[in-house]
Amino acid sequence: MNKDEAEEETERTSRSRSHQWLTNFHRDLLAGAFMGGVVHTIVAPIERAKLLLQTQESNLAIVAGRHRRFKGMFDCIFHTVREEGLLSLWRGNGSSVLRYYPSVALNFSLKDLYKNMLRTGNSQGHFLSGLSANFLAGAAAGCTSLIIVYPLDIAHTRLAADLGKTGARQFRGIYHFLTTIHRKDGIKGIYRGLPASLQGMVIHRGIYFGGFDTMKEIMSKESNPELALWKRWVVAQAVTTSAGLLSYPLDTVRRRMMMQSGSEQIMYKSTFDCWRKIYRMEGVASFYRGALSNIFRSTGAAAILVLYDEVKKFMEWGGL
């Protein structure tokens, strides 16, 4: 094969891959949306406990003494049920599902799209290039989707952290929160905490997607490319837990920054100031407050990683 023929073959391969991205994009979108909505609703009570523990030092209802501090995940869940009722554990889940449908769908579809783009023209197949492409694709997909759904992300945090029964709560729902914050702080208030969120997203989604895809590729063999479901589950759980713990301090900082939107009492002037004050006033352990809840919650995130491929197979079988 001469040089011209080789270049023509490379161009045809590139066009074929581009067509495949567009063909699979809608399937990735639907599979990610379905898994995100279902799984997140199941783990919503643990998610709310995690957020309450994580933000209680900047939660005005707790700081002002109207509600006592929570000692841990189980204390938080039991006390919340006793004070607000069982269904209160799903408070904020509506905004969370609205956020997760586009977020998870875009994460998965864009991750595969970015990964294929980064690997286009790479025929060497070196491990380092595969790891780099997987990490960068996961981080880029996470940041892209976060910017799009951030108003719903901050709404979920504030509604979940809103303590009290119906009449005593600060916000009545997603629309009330967004209009209230926009009236007080403008667009800046709705996007408060975005820099810290993007920093955490690079680490979390890079490891979450990049680590899982890389380990799956390493463990899969040419003779048996379909990795057993239980092996994928073990890899997904390990990767999800690691990603959650490594990025957890960044998540704590971003949640604290979110809690300041619409507030007249500003505790942190910037992301750096938030880091500094938490470290000096509360200690290193405060960055990991609620981390145990997050480990339990990571089971749901691991399920999304594993079952995403299964949902896609079902959709292919059904001709969707």
Side-chain angles (χ1 to χ4, degrees):
M1 182 180 291
N2 57 39
K3 184 178 179 181
D4 292 337
E5 290 176 339
E7 289 178 354
E8 186 177 348
E9 178 65 26
T10 300
E11 186 177 350
R12 280 199 304 268
T13 302
S14 179
R15 284 198 302 267
S16 176
R17 285 178 176 175
S18 298
H19 177 71
Q20 187 178 9
W21 299 340
L22 295 174
T23 302
N24 292 336
F25 188 81
H26 80 282
R27 186 179 295 130
D28 298 337
L29 207 64
L30 289 172
F34 175 77
M35 288 310 307
V38 172
V39 173
H40 201 269
T41 298
I42 295 172
V43 300
I46 300 177
E47 167 76 2
R48 190 179 183 214
K50 172 244 183 190
L51 288 174
L52 285 171
L53 289 168
Q54 205 172 18
T55 61
Q56 64 179 346
E57 295 302 328
S58 57
N59 192 321
L60 294 181
I62 295 177
V63 174
R66 295 196 301 270
H67 292 271
R68 70 174 182 83
R69 283 176 167 78
F70 303 110
K71 300 176 182 178
M73 180 181 71
F74 295 110
D75 176 61
C76 180
I77 291 174
F78 293 148
H79 182 77
T80 301
V81 171
R82 187 168 60 248
E83 293 292 321
E84 303 175 15
L86 181 64
L87 292 179
S88 68
L89 294 176
W90 278 266
R91 184 175 298 163
N93 187 56
S95 59
S96 182
V97 171
L98 285 177
R99 167 181 65 111
Y100 258 70
Y101 268 115
S103 179
V104 175
L106 287 170
N107 270 321
F108 278 101
S109 54
L110 291 175
K111 180 260 297 184
D112 290 341
L113 180 64
Y114 290 153
K115 183 168 65 175
N116 287 330
M117 290 172 63
L118 289 167
R119 288 184 170 184
T120 297
N122 177 22
S123 58
Q124 300 299 319
H126 295 307
F127 168 73
L128 183 60
S129 64
L131 175 61
S132 301
N134 289 338
F135 181 87
L136 289 173
C143 290
T144 303
S145 60
L146 178 67
I147 293 172
I148 295 172
V149 303
Y150 196 79
L152 291 173
D153 193 19
I154 191 173
H156 164 62
T157 299
R158 293 299 298 273
L159 291 175
D162 200 1
L163 289 166
K165 296 184 178 180
T166 304
R169 293 202 301 266
Q170 186 178 5
F171 304 109
R172 295 191 296 271
I174 303 170
Y175 179 77
H176 182 238
F177 165 77
L178 292 175
T179 53
T180 301
I181 298 303
H182 184 267
R183 187 170 58 252
K184 288 184 177 180
D185 295 346
I187 294 296
K188 182 181 178 181
I190 294 176
Y191 278 87
R192 193 180 299 277
L194 180 61
S197 298
L198 289 173
Q199 293 164 14
M201 194 59 64
V202 169
I203 297 175
H204 185 272
R205 291 304 185 191
I207 298 173
Y208 178 70
F209 285 124
F212 179 72
D213 286 348
T214 300
M215 291 302 298
K216 191 168 64 172
E217 290 167 5
I218 293 173
M219 295 175 69
S220 298
K221 299 179 181 179
E222 291 297 328
S223 58
N224 184 24
E226 183 61 35
L227 196 63
L229 186 64
W230 72 268
K231 290 183 179 180
R232 277 182 286 154
W233 176 267
V234 171
V235 171
Q237 190 63 56
V239 166
T240 303
T241 302
S242 301
L245 288 175
L246 287 172
S247 64
Y248 201 81
L250 286 161
D251 190 59
T252 295
V253 170
R254 88 184 188 99
R255 303 291 182 185
R256 295 288 187 93
M257 294 299 292
M258 286 178 177
M259 293 297 291
Q260 296 193 132
S261 287
S263 175
E264 297 179 358
Q265 302 176 21
I266 300 297
M267 297 178 64
Y268 314 112
K269 298 177 182 178
S270 64
T271 301
F272 176 75
D273 185 53
C274 184
W275 277 95
R276 185 174 60 84
K277 285 184 176 178
I278 292 175
Y279 176 73
R280 288 184 176 180
M281 299 172 64
E282 303 172 32
V284 175
S286 191
F287 286 109
Y288 286 91
R289 188 164 291 151
L292 178 61
S293 304
N294 199 56
I295 292 174
F296 284 105
R297 173 181 163 271
S298 70
T299 303
I304 292 176
L305 277 177
V306 174
L307 297 179
Y308 168 72
D309 292 331
E310 301 303 313
V311 173
K312 281 181 65 176
K313 287 178 192 173
F314 176 78
M315 293 174 69
E316 289 174 2
W317 174 78
L320 296 177

